[in-house]
């Protein structure tokens, strides 16, 4: 488990596991378990292997502290991403990682490699 979310009003606890949480600037949600403490029920959500598409975790630097590996790199990455003013990142969970990659390439001429942004190589469109 990488993150826990406490829902005080509803009495729920959500436990989330991400692929690449400690190594990627945008880790992907793989499993989510929601515990309803009041009703004593458990819901399991499988992302990428089941019925749900993997969800990227944007703004990871808001959820970690300075003791976390690559904290400074994550802060720098999130700051650079915020400067790009991508409207889709302000709405809900944000775009899929594939859509973000396309938006960065088309609108800004950029690509992500690790915790850095690079100029995207031009692709020749098929005729």
């Amino acid at each position: 488990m990488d993150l826990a979310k406490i829902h005080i009003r509803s009495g729920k606890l959500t436990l989330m596991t991400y692929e690449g949480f400690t190594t990627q600037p945008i880790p992907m949600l793989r499993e989510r378990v929601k515990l309803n403490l009041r009703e004593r029920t458990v819901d399991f959500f499988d992302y990428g292997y089941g019925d749900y598409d993997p969800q990227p975790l944007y703004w990871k630097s808001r959820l970690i502290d300075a003791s976390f590996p690559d904290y400074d790199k994550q802060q720098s990455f999130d700051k650079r991403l915020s400067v790009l003013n991508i409207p889709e990142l302000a709405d809900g969970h944000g775009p899929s990682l594939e859509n973000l990659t396309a938006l960065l390439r088309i609108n800004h001429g950029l690509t992500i490699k690790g915790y850095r942004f690079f100029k995207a190589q031009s692709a020749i469109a098929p005729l």
Side-chain angles (χ1 to χ4, degrees):
M1 180 209 34
D2 297 305
L3 291 177
K5 182 177 179 182
I6 301 170
H7 311 261
I8 294 174
R9 291 194 176 128
S10 68
K12 295 177 184 174
L13 173 67
T14 302
L15 307 172
M16 295 164 281
T17 301
Y18 288 85
E19 184 177 314
F21 188 77
T22 57
T23 60
Q24 299 297 314
I26 304 175
M28 301 299 289
L29 180 62
R30 289 298 176 186
E31 295 178 349
R32 180 170 58 105
V33 178
K34 188 175 281 189
L35 307 167
N36 187 322
L37 303 175
R38 291 185 183 150
E39 296 180 12
R40 296 182 181 165
T41 60
V42 177
D43 294 313
F44 180 79
F45 303 89
D46 192 359
Y47 293 80
Y49 311 110
D51 297 330
Y52 304 96
D53 290 331
Q55 293 179 358
L57 175 64
Y58 294 108
W59 318 121
K60 185 174 79 173
S61 64
R62 296 176 185 171
L63 305 171
I64 59 177
D65 66 15
S67 67
F68 195 84
D70 294 325
Y71 174 74
D72 292 334
K73 289 180 185 178
Q74 185 67 51
Q75 273 198 314
S76 177
F77 177 88
D78 286 353
K79 183 178 180 180
R80 176 70 170 117
L81 188 59
S82 70
V83 169
L84 297 173
N85 293 319
I86 298 171
E88 292 83 356
L89 288 174
D91 300 332
H93 295 290
S96 68
L97 193 54
E98 294 80 18
N99 287 347
L100 175 68
T101 300
L103 287 167
L104 287 172
R105 183 178 296 277
I106 293 166
N107 296 341
H108 302 282
L110 296 173
T111 189
I112 297 171
K113 291 181 185 174
Y115 288 88
R116 299 183 62 196
F117 294 85
F118 292 91
K119 284 193 171 262
Q121 295 195 8
S122 304
I124 300 173
L127 299 174

